[in-house]
Amino acid sequence: MSEKIWYASYGSNVLKARFLAYIRGGRPPGTNFVQVGCSDSTPPSHDHGVLILHDLYFAEASRNWEDAGIAFLDPKEDKLAKTLGRMYLITAEQFREVVLQENGYRQMDVDLGMDLDKTIQEGSSELREGLYRTLLFLGEEAGHPIFTFTAAGGVDEQLLNPPGPLYLAIIARGLRETFGLSDAGIVEYFQDRLGIKGFLPAEELERIVTEPAPIYPNSFT
């Protein structure tokens, strides 16, 4: 397998400054928690937007994000799904350490049984534990495999829960940055997602999207 891989993000990591906290360590924009960072803090050599053919939904409850829902992908591919993401070209080891941090680990020597070759061969694989336990292989680009991760099981097995204002605002900022979407376009993108539809009133969703996401000036100190 190629030493470098594409990590396809779809939640708050669509905002590059937020993702870089996993690489460099430090406090992500708009938050009070601190990431430990990767052992190799080299930033991604390339990044760009990507269309992911898996449905986006919001579920569970994250203590880092207002004890509210966070983004997941249904592991089942759907040619009609239109989830907007951002891909980062990083090393396979950086990807392993990003997955560990996403699953709440602060020590990078933990072995969750990640097997990227198996993930490529079978289309998906399972880690030993963690909220983001399912690895997905999404294809290749420029000779490098594309991976992402999500919760185990399909959307029907998860407890839907709407995202908090800060988390949703961070994603909205990332969508503007990556795709140049308007506020109206972002509201349209979110409004029918499971975990938002029927949970967040239209006026509340519009307010969250149109208000600027808070960004701390020293996000990586």
Side-chain angles (χ1 to χ4, degrees), residues 53-127:
L53 303 181
H54 292 258
D55 282 318
L56 174 71
Y57 68 93
F58 295 87
E60 301 298 329
S62 171
R63 63 183 180 182
N64 286 334
W65 295 109
E66 306 161 286
D67 290 318
I70 50 179
F72 297 97
L73 293 177
D74 192 320
K76 183 179 179 181
E77 185 180 66
D78 183 347
K79 300 293 186 183
L80 299 179
K82 292 181 174 62
T83 294
L84 300 177
R86 188 171 188 163
M87 298 204 308
Y88 300 94
L89 190 60
I90 57 177
T91 68
E93 178 62 15
Q94 284 177 317
F95 178 70
R96 185 188 73 83
E97 293 182 356
V98 167
V99 172
L100 283 172
Q101 291 177 79
E102 283 277 19
N103 279 303
Y105 289 94
R106 299 187 63 82
Q107 301 296 323
M108 297 298 100
D109 58 353
V110 177
D111 182 7
L112 294 181
M114 179 182 292
D115 188 334
L116 296 184
D117 289 323
K118 177 182 178 181
T119 309
I120 292 173
Q121 293 167 5
E122 300 184 5
S124 66
S125 66
E126 298 293 319
L127 301 176

